[in-house]
Amino acid sequence: MLLLGFACRQRWLALLPRLAALLVMLLYVTDYLTSTELSSRLVLHELPNYLADTGIIGQHLGNTGFITGPMWAAGLAAAGLSLLLLGWPALTRLRSRSGAALMLLVLASGVAAQSWPKTRYVHSWMMQNVVQYNMQRGEMQPYSAAMIERTLANPPAPAACHPGLQQRHDLIVLILESWSVYQSRYFGGIHNWTPRLDSLAGQGLAFDNFHAAGFSTNEGLMSLLTSMEILATGQRRTPYITAWGGNYSLPAVMRNNGYHSSFLTSGHLGFSRKDLWLEHLGFDHIEGHTHPAYDGLPRFHFAAVADEHLYRRSLQHMTELEQPASRKPYALVIESVSSHHPYKHPHTGSTAQADVFGYMDSAAADFIEQLRQRGFFSHGRLLVVSDHRAMVPVQPAEQQALGLATLSRIPAFWLGRDIPRGRVSEPFHQADVLPTLEHWIASEQCNPHGLRDMLTPAASTTCAATAAKPSTCSARTARAKSAWPVTAPALNGHRAYPRRSKNRRCTGSTTTACSATTGTGAGCSAVRVQRQAAKAAAANRHAHCVISA
């Protein structure tokens, strides 16, 4: 296109192919930065969500020092070069036979590259050009009408009920941003960046085979707070899509059993409509970056203060909740922020991962020690868990050490009253946290999975554990997805986006058949369950059908 623009005599007509060429270059540069910085690809249908929060994102990048002087200089140089390319006069030589031959050669090379037979392998999603990648995203294809009708026509799986324990412990779920197995020697990683958390994990019940629902904080919250095992996408990916309109959530379970529920973070709740979603779930109390306790403090990721101030405020809030006059058992969810990408130590300014996660480790461990000093563990339980693996590329040493679970495994451990000391090797999932809490505090736990309790792994049936037993969860999940409300509710004047069930085409090099049109075949029932528990079976975060080895 650029050559065509230089060959055109008419100045204004020449601008069209030149502008198109520059836009394509911008697209490729943005995709390259996304892949190198976040170990992901530029997905065009997700852009509206981020463009709606450009102010927050700009502030986030500025506060963390991601946009530096050299980056500004590179941007200005690119802008100058673009203006030069747009204004450069036509090149007469390109209108000769040699010029035409050059353009034909470039065109033929591109066609040949796309037509050349390609060998599928686990990282093929990273080798596609960004245009091709966005055009071939199978999960964006809708289920056929016949598939939806057939799924809804099948009766839902019967709920299996088990007596609850009716315990009244206070509960804290501490969600640590991007805490990953590769950072923890205790959990089998290649680094020793979180020694204090590792030590605390050794004093409680640690989970060596615990899996995340996705690769972002939103997906982690959706799984932890609503027990979603498999995440669906839509043609326009609404924040927290498929997690609106349900009646099973952590706040709902707590309220139904006489608990107070709170959600505390120091990050910007306006980003991706998190404030509206948390209100929709039903939390009794929600705090974010605007709380007066953070006034005058330095701001970093998503306008958040350093984690230590979030933990200080959390202790204050616990004191408020524990006042005798209005005392209820409580469930407190705390979401840390300081270890979010791009990495920046809140005190030293270091951008080294080791330093940033070392800070996360120290701040979280100090908070846990303060919980111990105030006697929380005599009447409460604490879950320390990550929201997702860090959004950075997998290193060869990590892949070698962790194998198939590299992308999905995250650290998790329980501490507190009546929590046994030990290690659990059975697979668990973020979606198992809420059923676990329900079993502890309710009179009974009823769901199609059977008993799900992280303290009784041998007796539990978890979705992560069903990679080898797909029939346990797959039918229930497919029916539940299709039976959910068609639209997310409009809250406070915000638009409600349509929700549509989406089919995932089998594009991997599997030998098990799965029909993209009907959603039937031997591979599909296993795929929909295994995709979360064994999505790293091919170390491919974008494999649409994964059959574990």
Side-chain angles (χ1 to χ4, degrees):
M1 286 186 289
L2 195 60
L3 291 174
L4 183 62
F6 281 120
C8 186
R9 292 181 179 180
Q10 298 296 325
R11 176 65 61 86
W12 295 109
L13 188 60
L15 283 177
L16 296 178
R18 295 188 192 189
L19 279 173
L22 290 174
L23 288 175
V24 171
M25 292 179 190
L26 177 62
L27 185 68
Y28 275 83
V29 169
T30 306
D31 180 62
Y32 171 77
L33 292 174
T34 303
S35 62
T36 55
E37 291 294 330
L38 302 178
S39 190
S40 183
R41 296 298 300 271
L42 177 64
V43 182
L44 298 180
H45 78 268
E46 295 182 355
L47 286 180
N49 295 326
Y50 297 102
L51 292 176
D53 295 319
T54 52
I56 299 175
I57 294 174
Q59 185 183 47
H60 164 69
L61 296 176
N63 288 347
T64 55
F66 183 76
I67 304 177
T68 60
M71 291 191 68
W72 278 113
L76 291 174
L81 179 60
S82 299
L83 292 175
L84 186 63
L85 291 175
L86 290 174
W88 199 270
L91 301 177
T92 56
R93 291 184 179 180
L94 288 178
R95 293 194 294 271
S96 65
R97 290 182 179 180
S98 58
L102 177 60
M103 286 187 279
L104 286 174
L105 177 61
V106 171
L107 180 62
S109 299
V111 172
Q114 292 302 311
S115 304
W116 194 265
K118 299 177 179 64
T119 302
R120 291 189 179 276
Y121 82 117
V122 294
H123 294 301
S124 59
W125 64 278
M126 283 295 286
M127 304 303 294
Q128 292 177 303
N129 70 69
V130 64
V131 177
Q132 182 184 30
Y133 177 78
N134 277 272
M135 291 177 63
Q136 296 184 357
R137 290 181 60 80
E139 72 268 28
M140 299 308 300
Q141 301 299 318
Y143 284 117
S144 67
M147 171 64 182
I148 295 174
E149 182 179 358
R150 183 169 56 255
T151 302
L152 293 177
N154 294 330
C161 293
H162 298 267
L165 302 179
Q166 294 184 282
Q167 299 168 341
R168 310 302 287 172
H169 305 307
D170 293 318
L171 304 167
I172 298 177
V173 178
L174 174 57
I175 305 171
L176 296 179
E177 173 64 48
S178 300
W179 187 26
S180 306
V181 172
Y182 75 85
Q183 304 158 4
S184 165
R185 189 64 53 80
Y186 180 83
F187 285 96
I190 59 176
H191 299 297
N192 189 29
W193 294 345
T194 59
R196 294 183 62 189
L197 286 172
D198 287 357
S199 175
L200 290 166
Q203 300 171 31
L205 188 64
F207 294 80
D208 294 325
N209 200 2
F210 194 85
H211 296 265
F215 301 93
S216 71
T217 298
N218 286 12
E219 293 169 338
L221 291 177
M222 289 163 69
S223 191
L224 290 166
L225 301 183
T226 70
S227 191
M228 291 183 60
E229 309 98 346
I230 297 175
L231 303 176
T233 58
Q235 285 191 337
R236 178 172 182 179
R237 192 169 187 179
T238 307
Y240 305 103
I241 192 169
T242 70
W244 297 84
N247 55 12
Y248 188 61
S249 67
L250 186 147
V253 169
M254 294 301 147
R255 185 185 310 106
N256 293 339
N257 291 279
Y259 271 67
H260 179 281
S261 61
S262 295
F263 184 97
L264 270 64
T265 184
S266 57
H268 201 305
L269 290 175
F271 182 68
S272 71
R273 299 171 60 195
K274 183 185 290 186
D275 52 351
L276 301 180
W277 182 66
L278 293 172
E279 291 173 11
H280 178 71
L281 292 185
F283 277 98
D284 297 309
H285 183 82
I286 302 169
E287 289 182 11
H289 75 295
T290 59
H291 193 274
Y294 308 137
D295 289 349
L297 295 173
R299 303 289 177 150
F300 302 96
H301 308 77
F302 299 105
V305 297
D307 282 350
E308 63 204 74
H309 304 296
L310 169 64
Y311 297 141
R312 184 179 301 118
R313 170 57 197 150
S314 298
L315 293 169
Q316 294 172 356
H317 184 60
M318 290 172 59
T319 300
E320 297 164 2
L321 294 174
E322 293 170 1
Q323 293 302 310
S326 57
R327 183 70 161 98
K328 279 184 176 182
Y330 59 81
L332 172 59
V333 180
I334 306 170
E335 178 194 47
S336 76
V337 184
S338 290
S339 47
H340 197 287
H341 189 283
Y343 303 119
K344 182 177 181 180
H345 193 295
H347 298 314
T348 68
S350 171
T351 58
Q353 281 194 61
D355 295 338
V356 171
F357 285 100
Y359 169 77
M360 178 207 73
D361 175 64
S362 296
D366 286 345
F367 171 65
I368 295 171
E369 290 300 332
Q370 289 173 308
L371 290 179
R372 195 189 305 276
Q373 292 171 14
R374 65 183 288 150
F376 172 79
F377 295 123
S378 66
H379 59 86
R381 292 175 173 177
L382 166 72
L383 171 65
V384 183
V385 62
S386 173
D387 52 355
H388 57 85
R389 181 193 174 275
M391 300 175 71
V392 295
V394 174
Q395 299 300 315
E398 179 189 359
Q399 181 71 52
Q400 183 176 4
L402 303 180
L404 300 179
T406 301
L407 289 173
S408 63
R409 262 190 62 196
I410 53 173
F413 65 90
W414 280 100
L415 283 174
R417 182 171 180 176
D418 300 326
I419 297 293
R421 183 172 180 173
R423 306 186 77 149
V424 175
S425 60
E426 287 84 354
F428 276 91
H429 187 282
Q430 287 175 329
D432 295 315
V433 172
L434 178 52
T436 295
L437 300 180
E438 183 182 33
H439 184 236
W440 292 352
I441 69 174
S443 59
E444 67 176 1
Q445 180 201 70
C446 296
N447 64 62
H449 299 289
L451 177 66
R452 298 169 73 180
D453 188 335
M454 296 170 68
L455 292 193
T456 57
S460 294
T461 303
T462 75
C463 246
T466 58
K469 303 178 296 180
S471 59
T472 306
C473 296
S474 59
R476 200 280 305 189
T477 301
R479 276 188 285 272
K481 289 286 184 283
S482 298
W484 282 342
V486 175
T487 59
L491 297 176
N492 296 347
H494 286 254
R495 174 183 174 186
Y497 296 101
R499 178 188 301 145
R500 303 172 63 187
S501 297
K502 301 295 170 186
N503 182 45
R504 288 170 172 77
R505 295 174 179 169
C506 288
T507 57
S509 56
T510 63
T511 58
T512 307
C514 170
S515 169
T517 303
T518 65
T520 60
C524 287
S525 62
V527 166
R528 292 192 178 98
V529 176
Q530 295 177 23
R531 186 168 185 264
Q532 291 307 316
K535 68 172 67 177
N540 180 2
R541 60 184 299 166
H542 294 286
H544 302 139
C545 284
V546 176
I547 307 297
S548 64

